[in-house]
Amino acid sequence: MSSLVLTVTQVNTYVKSILEGDPHLQSVYLTGEISNFVNHYRSGHCYLSLKDDRSAIKAVMFKNVASRLRFVPENGMKVLVQGRISLYERDGQYQLYIDDMQPAGVGALQMALEQLKKKLHAQGLFDQGRKKPLPPMPMRIGVVTSPTGAAVQDIKNILGRRFPLAEVVLCPVLVQGEEAPSQIAAALDLINKKHAADVIIVGRGGGSMEDLWAFNSEQVVQAVARSEIPVISAVGHETDYTLCDLAADLRAPTPSAAAELAVPQATDLLAELHSARAVMIQSLLISIKQAQHRLEQVKNSRPFHNPEDILLEKRMQLDQVTDDLMAAYRHQLFDPRKKLAETAAKLDALSPLKVLARGYAIPQFGDQSIRSVKEVALGDHIRLQLSDGQIGCTVTEKLPGGAKANE
């Protein structure tokens, strides 16, 4: 029995040497589902587990490998990885050191595209409600593309043929490579800052997904979305779609089609102008004929040949108005006088003096009129008010009930 006593570090170092000495474990390919994924942002290293339906293995992907990935690993994602098996001596944990990772069943670029598309869609950059209409007759067309590609020549030729009045403002950029996204975004921002165009065409000719990748970058999509000037995206051929197409105000299948969509056809405008001119001339001729007809009617009218008839008619109208005014004046002046006289006659007929004039007298005792025999006593001195004066009397007899005195 061996009496050799080893330290933990010695054991881990020995096991590590065995694993790293096995050539079969220095380049292995594994497929599995990602779980427990952690992106250590400070160091840039990624830690995860790969598992199948029965087992799991710890794995690590260092920063230099993770920075080359076109997509972002996520829990639950099935991937194909290549790497080496070794042991992390400090923890005694054997693990896979990943040198490359690809999504299982789909390319890395396609996966990255779908992830970015989902992110930007959540930000509302593809919403139809934020898209701006194109100006009907732009006089300056901004073009953001390669100055040496066929796309810029196609755009210039079509713009010159369709609407030669428009000015082409070319902003040359790289359309592929690492520097392309920043140049395209900067060109879009510059045109907006300078208000150098009424509409912008951004794009390039066709190519592979890698060739068109600059137009799938978040930097370019954000620049297209924040542009205050309407943007037409024209990337690749008819079957090519990029995220720039989704963010633009209008997508054109090709750069040539973008030029046709950006400006009107000058010949169509001339045809519309000629048509409008013909309509205006016809309308003017009709108006002139109608005016001539009204002039002939005036010339042939009776007042035109006998203007004194109008004067006589107006005088008759004046006389009628005068009569109406006088009648109204008399009505307002004499009717109140008549009503006053009638009222005065009624009041006069009811006057006590009229009653006295007919032979009646008003007996008075002191300052009060006597209305009943009960108001005086025998021997009282009373007065009789007649129409022409008063008579003093002494009460010698009272006959109540209207009885006649004895003679």
Side-chain angles (χ1 to χ4, degrees), residues 46-250:
C46 297
Y47 303 92
L48 63 145
S49 296
L50 283 179
K51 67 177 183 177
D52 54 22
D53 56 348
R54 297 178 61 186
S55 303
I57 184 174
K58 296 287 186 179
V60 61
M61 183 167 48
F62 292 130
K63 178 180 179 180
N64 63 326
V65 176
S67 63
R68 295 197 302 266
L69 294 181
R70 294 281 194 173
F71 66 99
V72 178
E74 298 175 349
N75 287 327
M77 183 183 296
K78 292 185 177 181
V79 292
L80 174 65
V81 300
Q82 182 270 327
R84 58 187 177 85
I85 302 294
S86 185
L87 183 131
Y88 185 38
E89 292 184 46
R90 191 196 70 179
D91 297 339
Q93 174 74 50
Y94 99 94
Q95 58 188 10
L96 172 66
Y97 292 81
I98 298 174
D99 293 324
D100 187 33
M101 177 185 289
Q102 297 291 334
V106 63
L109 285 180
Q110 188 63 37
M111 176 63 71
L113 179 63
E114 292 302 322
Q115 289 178 336
L116 183 57
K117 179 180 179 181
K118 182 178 179 181
K119 172 185 175 182
L120 299 178
H121 183 272
Q123 296 177 8
L125 301 188
F126 305 149
D127 293 349
Q128 290 295 319
R130 54 161 296 279
K131 296 186 182 299
K132 300 175 287 295
L134 301 185
M137 195 177 300
M139 300 308 297
R140 292 178 300 172
I141 314 298
V143 179
V144 178
T145 189
S146 169
T148 59
V152 67
Q153 295 303 322
D154 293 341
I155 292 173
K156 286 182 176 180
N157 291 337
I158 292 175
L159 292 177
R161 172 173 53 82
R162 285 180 61 86
F163 196 63
L165 295 176
E167 175 187 1
V168 177
V169 180
L170 176 63
C171 219
V173 295
L174 293 174
V175 292
Q176 67 184 72
E178 294 184 1
E179 297 182 6
S182 60
Q183 289 191 14
I184 296 170
L188 289 168
D189 291 339
L190 179 62
I191 293 177
N192 274 272
K193 181 179 179 180
K194 299 291 186 180
H195 302 286
D198 302 315
V199 64
I200 302 173
I201 298 175
V202 57
R204 55 156 292 162
S208 65
M209 177 176 285
E210 289 81 1
D211 294 336
L212 306 181
W213 192 251
F215 296 92
N216 285 320
S217 70
E218 182 174 2
Q219 191 174 9
V220 171
V221 174
Q222 293 282 4
V224 170
R226 67 173 170 263
S227 174
E228 297 179 358
I229 301 173
V231 176
I232 303 176
S233 176
V235 182
H237 300 304
E238 290 193 29
T239 57
D240 296 322
Y241 264 88
T242 64
L243 299 184
C244 179
D245 295 330
L246 300 178
D249 299 294
L250 184 65

